[in-house]
Amino acid sequence: MAALNLPPNYQAVMPYLILKDAAGFITFAKDIFDATEQMRTMRDDQKIMHAEINIHGSTIMVAEQTDEYASQNAGIFVYVADCDSAYQRALDKGAESILPPADQSYGRSAGIKDPFGNTWWVTHPLS
C-alpha cells in the first residue's frame, strides 16, 4: 500500500454529522469537550454548509440538515479529563443520561445523548 499523506489536523477516519441545529451542536461540543472550531462555511440561508471542530486532536465534521440530506447522527466515544464533570456539564446543557458515571475495567465512563441526537460515551482513562 502507498503511504497516506493526510492534510494537517486531519485523521484517516473522521465522523461527519448532518444535524438539525449544527451551530448549536458546535456550541455544545465547545462547552462540554473544550472543542475548538477549525472552520465554518455558511450557506445562503445562513445555516452551516460545512464546519469542523477539533476535540483534543480529533476532527469532527458537521453540516446543517437539508431536504436533500437528512439528519445523520452518531455514537461517539471520547476521552475526557474528568468523566463526572463532563457528564454533569452535558446534562446541564440539555443532554439526557444514558448511563451515569461508573468505574469500568477501562476507566470511569458515562453515556449521554446530546440535544442533537448523538450518543456520547465519555471516559476518563485509567491512570
Side-chain angles (χ1 to χ4, degrees):
M1 292 187 136
L4 187 60
N5 187 19
L6 296 173
N9 300 317
Y10 289 96
Q11 302 77 53
V13 177
M14 295 175 284
Y16 199 117
L17 308 178
I18 300 175
L19 304 171
K20 180 177 182 185
D21 192 11
F25 170 81
I26 291 170
T27 299
F28 181 87
K30 287 177 177 179
D31 291 345
I32 309 310
F33 303 111
D34 296 324
T36 56
E37 190 169 333
Q38 296 178 163
M39 63 94 62
R40 183 184 292 211
T41 303
M42 304 301 285
R43 299 188 317 226
D44 290 341
D45 65 359
Q46 297 308 303
K47 301 286 185 175
I48 294 175
M49 177 186 298
H50 178 85
E52 298 173 5
I53 61 170
N54 190 289
I55 300 174
H56 303 291
S58 297
T59 300
I60 298 175
M61 297 180 178
V62 61
E64 185 74 24
Q65 72 179 17
T66 66
D67 291 339
E68 186 178 359
Y69 297 103
S71 238
Q72 296 177 18
N73 302 101
I76 303 169
F77 182 96
V78 60
Y79 282 117
V80 295
D82 181 340
C83 170
D84 294 74
S85 65
Y87 173 83
Q88 189 58 55
R89 283 193 312 273
L91 296 182
D92 292 346
K93 295 290 183 173
E96 60 185 76
S97 177
I98 294 174
L99 181 70
D103 292 333
Q104 307 292 339
S105 62
Y106 51 87
R108 186 147 178 91
S109 188
I112 57 110
K113 185 172 185 180
D114 71 28
F116 314 95
N118 303 291
T119 302
W120 295 83
W121 300 101
V122 295
T123 301
H124 180 107
L126 297 172
S127 300

